[in-house]
Amino acid sequence: MNSKIIKTWFLVLIVMVTSCELPDNIDPKRAADVTPDVLVSNSEIALFNLMGSVNVNRNVTRLLAQYQSEVTYVTESRYNFQDRQIPDYHWGVLYRDVLTNLEKAKSLINSTAFADPQEKLNKIAIIEVLEVYSYQLLLDAFGNIPYTEALQGAANSTPKYDDAKTVYLDILSRLSKAVTDLSNDNGSAGFGSADLLYNSNIAKWKEFSASLKLRIGLRLADSNPTEAAKAVQEAITSGVFTSQSNSAIFIYTGTAPYVNSYYQEFVLGNRKDFCPTNTLVDKMKALNDPRMPVWFTKYLGEFVGLPYGKVGASSYSKFSHFTSIPNPVYPVIISDYVEVEFLLAEAAERGMVGVTGSAESHYNNAITQSMLYWGLTQADADTYLAEPSVAYATAATNWKQKIGDQKWLALFDRGNEAWAEWRRLDFPILNPPENMTYNDIPQRMPYPYNENKMNPANYSEAASAIGGDNASTKLFWDKY
Amino acid sequence: MRKLSFLLVILLLSATQLLAQRTITGKVTSADDGNGIPGVTVLVKGTSNGVLTDLDGKYSINVLKDATALQFSFVGMTKQEIALTATNVVNVVMQSEAQNIEGVVVTALGITREKKSLGYAVQEIGGDQIKGSRESNFVNAISGKIAGVQIKQSSTMGGSTNVLIRGNKSLTGNNQALFVIDGVPFDNSISNTAYVANGQGGYDYGNTASDINPEDIESMSVLKGAAATVLYGSRAANGVILITTKKGSTNKGVGVTINSGVFSTTADKSTLPKIQKEYGGGYGAYYEDPTGYFWYADLKGTGTPQLIVPTSEDASWGAKFDPNIKVIDWVGLDPLDPVNYLREVPWVAAKHDIRDFFENGVKYTNSVAVDGGNDLGHFRVSYTNNTETGIMPNSKMKKNMLSFNGSYNFTKKFSVESSASYVKDDNIGRYGTGYDPGNPMQSLGQWFQANVDIQDLKKYVINPDGSQRTWNYAYYDDFSPIYHNNIYWTRNVNYETDGRNRLFGYVNAQYKILPSLTLEARGATDYYSEKQEERIAIGSNQTSEYNEFLRNFNETNFDLMLKFNKAFAEKWSTTGVIGANSRRTLSTSIYGSTIGGLQVPDLYILMNSKSPVTTTETNYLSGVNSLYGNISLGYNNLVYFDLSGRAEKSSTLPASTNLYFYPSVSTSFVLSQLPGIKDIKQISFAKLRLNYASVGNSAPVYSTRSYYNKLTNWKSIGVFAMPTILPNDKLKPESTRSIEAGLEASFFEKRLGFDISYYKTNTIDQIMPVNISRASGYNQRYVNSGEVENKGIELALNATPIIVGGFSWDIQVNWFQNKNKVLSLYEGVENILLSSAWDISTNITVGEPFGVLRGTNFVYTNGKRTVDADGNYLYAKDADGNLITDAILGNVQPDWNSGISNTFHYKGISLYALIDISHGGSIYSVDQKYGVATGLFEETAGLNAKGKPKRDPVADGGGIILDGVKEDGTPNDIYIWAGDWGGAWLYDYIPTAAYVYDASYVKLREVSITYALPSQIIKKTPFTKLSVGISGRNLWIIHKNTPYFDPETNMSAGNIQGIADGAYPSTRTYGVNITVGF
């Protein structure tokens, strides 16, 4: 009798359990599918934000290049990378927020049929240029990096590190293909307005990618002169920037969260953390550089630079400040005509094939273009160029110093590129932080602290391959 | 469902047809106190037909016409036999045997069991022990009272309490105990953001179990191991706190109980830093006047510049105090205050410092309960109002709780019980936590000027134009706060508000198919809606902001159970249940925040945003269908054997793995029933228990497929990002396996007793997001991996050393040790980072207990900290000479915990005192790191061993010697300069290990004195009960090894523990409570 009830009961329960349907495990509040263009927009924002950021948690290259120094909390100016895990951030943004998104966009494009095959080529090429740029930032910060096994998600969560020399050549060849592929024939566009840098102007993309190739070529000039010369020649043939109007300059909308980092930190965040350095201000004062009032405010009628990397606090009020602070749409320069002219000057000095014009003419034009960009006049530029310490003939004895000093001034506010070129050209002469030596100025970023924990075997191998995971380890292209 | 109800009807009809006999009902009460005795075996003489009495001691049994008598038996009571007559009501009063009662206990699913029959550990506490001190979060009151339960309470008003039973089992998931009220799960979500737990700021919004009204709690039993909780399914792997609420009594008519209490809360000053009184604001001699310590400008126009305090500097490495020096301080700088503008004041230490900031909080608790009943049913209605102010300005919590519970017997076989409670919380001004401008302790306890007086801050908060006045002006002509707001601005202007409305209830219908078979159906729901609003006013040091978080939570449970209970032959008994559960959980939320600041001041709505508002919406829906069963077999009150199992189908796992089953077996062996032992008079009771159990657990919702994240549009262009966590569509259930053995015994007529348990729990195949190399493109991926082991010993001792006349003394000691070890993580991953802040990180490391603190370490020579030739500490480096940044510095888990309580009774007076001990474990203090680095704390000033001021230059005899030895092992005798910001001592030049402290403590947790009017006197009054109590909590930290702060301090409940950052003082509570019944 009881067993009958229990049997029936079991039946009841099973019916109950099976008839109550379980909910689907699908999130109704997030997108499972998107179009590639929204991912490209995201990648550009993440990439250019990283370049533009002055937040010491995100980008300290303006400190490394000694454009800025900290006022009160001097840890990062004194090369402590650990407390704020700066390498982790740089690495994380580029791999996770930029490259993964670009790769996904690429795979979505590749699985789509296009009526216009050129449109597809353009889209892929734009993505490739952004990827090459991102990889170069990783290579220039760290040295050897995961590349062939990178971005594989669950398939490989401990990617091996590749030799930086080899990766450099690979991104160069990818860039070469992109330069070739980019074409506005038949009016083929790219991502339309989702491309926040150029609004999908293919001609501009083509010039930007050739200019980037010029940059990469010269980065290799000391370590691999053959490939460097080839890249430079090809870049010039493809057509680098010939005026400032096509330069890669990223402009914020001016509406938070898309505002310039100076505005974000100083105005919205109400911080007053850094001032222009004495390295920069003293140099410019010595040269009577007319860009000073464009970039800095005065303290008691004078331009006063904060001693770089000083021990102890300083008073923000006693130094010059950046004029960019109140401007939410202050631009972030990625690559421009000024830089191209400096690169051509160097290529001319190195006697590379394909460069027309003398080193001096490119040098003069680079400086003039910089003056014009910052709202100064041709006359200002001429006066400046007439200064014996600026004039190409008399500025310094060796071309690396002439170009190094002036390029560093012209790369103002572009910490990543300025830090890389300082390492390669060894000029300008920077100021070691108080109680430190010149050799303490970092030659690279230590690998992310996370890598040591999450990818230990490959990390250790890479660390020993590059000669130790230290800030003082020189990168392969930094031969001198 | 239609199919289901049809089947039910069939079942019920067929069951009814089997019935024929008459039904005897009645109630079994105790001669001692007249209360009903639950769990009494009622057996028809000469048959195997028997039932157990219910919670109220009532029973109902069907007997055949030829039945002659009923036998009533209960352990510890004299067995009785009552002959049957014509009447169908048989009430029985049972007498205690010399032996005491072993008792009954409520177990999983609300099943009442004889305690002696249980093969697993259950520990109980009565409602009186919880509500004694009227903790606003009743969970705190468990601390020290149960072996194996670790409670870590928040020091913020209404903050969350961490409840761990037998250690951390899940690596990254929820480790909090499950709360169950009258058989129904009660949600205990902690909706704090990760920022709060990491110490990055935000408010601790508490844990939602604090909605449980202690006034309604009759008793609590804690089910510690998986064998005890297996019937509750996956969520119970962390242990269950079972709460039985008060029910109306059926035999007294209508009774009213009124309770009223008032309590005072004060900051425990032993947990606040001591501020030096010798040097004022500044970072050193870097400024404008000839000494370098002050700003210097002729603000008065006298022709001679005045000394101005460098208000922008949030440290106290400034000029030595000297009343002869006259300075313009922050109060005198603002031209909008004509009274004080350009006033010059002596350069002296603040009269009022951090110790004067905290106020006294007051807590009122008032409740009224009405209960009553008769043979047909009972009811209880209660209303409680709690109002509490915190120890900081503008902080207040209000809670209104209304509950109803009732039952009605429609027929002798069919009864319905229902319960509903409504809770409304309204709070204002919770304390900001962590390293954040919302936390006044960030400035007061870390970054501050020793010359700034708290009374001035209180007096000068807002200018007539609405702008802020703060000690931390950017410059003498720039009155924007550079780093820190005035703490009164933080409290009074940038405050939060929050609230919750909650409805919890169930309907439970019982039908007795047979005397031995009961069909029970229960529907329960737990619903709440909560809102949190946070404000940052225009004029604060951060971007002004308003944000709002709305969340709705709903869990419904439907249970169908068939319970049976049968004794057969003379010596065998069996009880059991076969049931099914369907659970659905839906949590939806929307969070909106202004972006880029507020347009107009004082308008806290989302539309007042400068840039377009951002919103985040969630909708988490999950469900589990389960079948479960339990059978318990007992022989001759000597041996009991339990078998349980549960099969679950979960919506959050992939279809191929979402059905899983787990079993448990347990046995109880009553040694004192054995012939040899039975006769030993000294042994009152002895029992051995043993069990094995396994519990499965499912995955977090939506972790099996990938989604894009929506970011703010760029103008009108959409922006989406790839997820940063990789989903996993191959997840399978995780499982916890445990074994447990225990022995409990009592001696000398129960004057002495102990209960000891040993357990080992292994949690395997954990579902967790693990950090992976970001070069893979993601931060984390979900895996099924890892194993955590918890081994432990729990000991409960109780003794009654003295009973003389009206006086008695009881001692209860709980001691437990949980040894947690992470056996494996994931493929070659040796470490999972839980959180990191500055140079300290909290980790899960293979081979170590959960919660390893890592950072840089000292070099030790003969066990002593070693300094270099300059007298600065050396950092530990690896063989290649690289700095070790992840040296293991400690662990957050205590070695053992203990609670010792003493209770003294004398006539109507009882005195209770509880000492709570935690031994071992580590805690890192950000406050110490910065409080010392900024020259704020007492130890940064004063004289050195030479009798010279520490802050004087070394050349002048000043400086300090760091504690330790030189590299050759001889004691360090090198003086270094003390006053250098970020320099010579205690910031950049000191390893992380310097601020890792032993978290042991001994606390006088609770003391209460209660006087209840004796029953002889009460009888002459209109009252049925009258008692007055005085009680206090957290009265005294008897011992600690941390410099200032309370070692118990934490950011939030959850897995990240062991960091003190912006820690508040702990609070003492004491007050009076009166209870009247009539």
Side-chain angles (χ1 to χ4, degrees), chain A residues 1-2 5-6 8-17 19-34 38-39 41-42 45 72-75 80 82-83 85 88 91-92 95-96 100-101 104 108 146 150-154 156-157 159 193-194 196 250-253 255-258 268-273 299 310-315 317-318 449-456 470, chain B residues 1 4 7 11 18 283 286-288 295 313-314 447 474-475 478 480-483 514 517 519 540-543 558 560-562 578-580 582 584 595-596 611-612 617-619 621-627 649-652 701-702 704-709 711-715 717-722 724 726 771-779 781 831 836 838-839 882 885-886 980-981 987-988:
Chain A
M1 161 198 82
N2 278 2
I5 293 173
I6 288 169
T8 319
W9 181 242
F10 262 118
L11 197 66
V12 170
L13 293 181
I14 286 165
V15 168
M16 170 187 161
V17 166
S19 63
C20 293
E21 211 171 302
L22 285 172
D24 287 329
N25 195 31
I26 296 172
D27 191 341
K29 293 289 188 184
R30 280 184 297 168
D33 298 299
V34 296
V38 298
L39 297 174
S41 303
N42 173 60
I45 292 168
T72 308
Y73 314 103
V74 297
T75 321
N80 177 330
Q82 193 201 355
D83 270 18
Q85 303 184 354
D88 299 68
W91 176 285
Y95 277 114
R96 179 197 59 221
T100 305
N101 282 266
K104 183 71 187 183
L108 291 173
L151 310 176
Q152 295 179 5
N156 188 351
S157 51
S193 57
L196 310 177
F250 186 68
I251 314 264
Y252 287 97
T253 65
T255 304
Y258 303 127
L268 297 181
N270 219 358
R271 303 286 307 206
K272 290 177 173 65
D273 282 335
Y299 171 68
K310 165 176 173 300
V311 173
S314 310
S315 183
S317 47
K318 282 169 69 179
Y449 301 98
N450 246 328
E451 277 295 291
N452 190 0
K453 298 192 181 91
M454 299 309 145
N455 194 6
N470 299 310
Chain B
M1 285 305 280
L4 174 67
L7 269 166
L11 181 80
L18 299 166
Y283 275 110
Y286 302 118
Y287 313 105
E288 297 158 7
W295 286 335
E313 309 300 61
D314 51 358
W447 306 89
Y475 199 45
D478 178 354
S480 59
I482 179 161
Y483 308 117
L514 287 175
L517 268 184
L519 178 66
S540 302
N541 79 326
Q542 320 101 291
T543 309
F558 289 101
L560 270 179
M561 287 176 273
L562 188 66
I578 302 167
S582 162
R584 295 292 178 272
I595 295 293
S611 292
E617 295 163 57
T618 64
N619 182 308
L621 173 64
S622 62
V624 177
N625 291 339
S626 318
L627 271 175
K649 192 171 178 182
S650 163
S651 73
T652 61
V701 69
Y702 311 143
T704 57
R705 51 174 99 185
S706 182
Y707 302 94
Y708 296 91
N709 296 320
L711 307 181
T712 305
N713 277 3
W714 178 280
K715 294 176 186 162
I717 295 159
V719 183
F720 283 83
M722 290 280 287
T724 58
L726 266 171
N771 284 345
I772 52 177
S773 167
R774 286 175 192 169
S776 69
Y778 299 86
N779 288 347
R781 63 176 291 207
N831 193 77
S836 70
W838 292 277
D839 51 345
N882 294 322
T885 57
D886 57 356
D980 190 354
W981 153 253
Y987 180 57
D988 268 359

Side-chain angles (χ1 to χ4, degrees), chain B residues 391-442:
Chain B
I391 56 168
M392 288 206 290
N394 194 33
S395 56
K396 192 172 189 181
M397 303 204 298
K398 279 191 292 189
K399 190 177 275 194
N400 284 287
M401 297 177 274
L402 185 64
S403 66
F404 166 81
N405 175 290
S407 80
Y408 190 76
N409 304 329
F410 288 92
T411 71
K412 282 173 184 153
K413 292 186 185 107
F414 182 59
S415 67
V416 173
E417 188 193 348
S418 176
S419 175
S421 60
Y422 171 72
V423 181
K424 187 172 189 298
D425 298 317
D426 289 290
N427 307 307
I428 181 168
R430 283 179 193 267
Y431 308 169
T433 66
Y435 195 81
D436 186 79
N439 180 354
M441 294 301 282
Q442 189 200 21

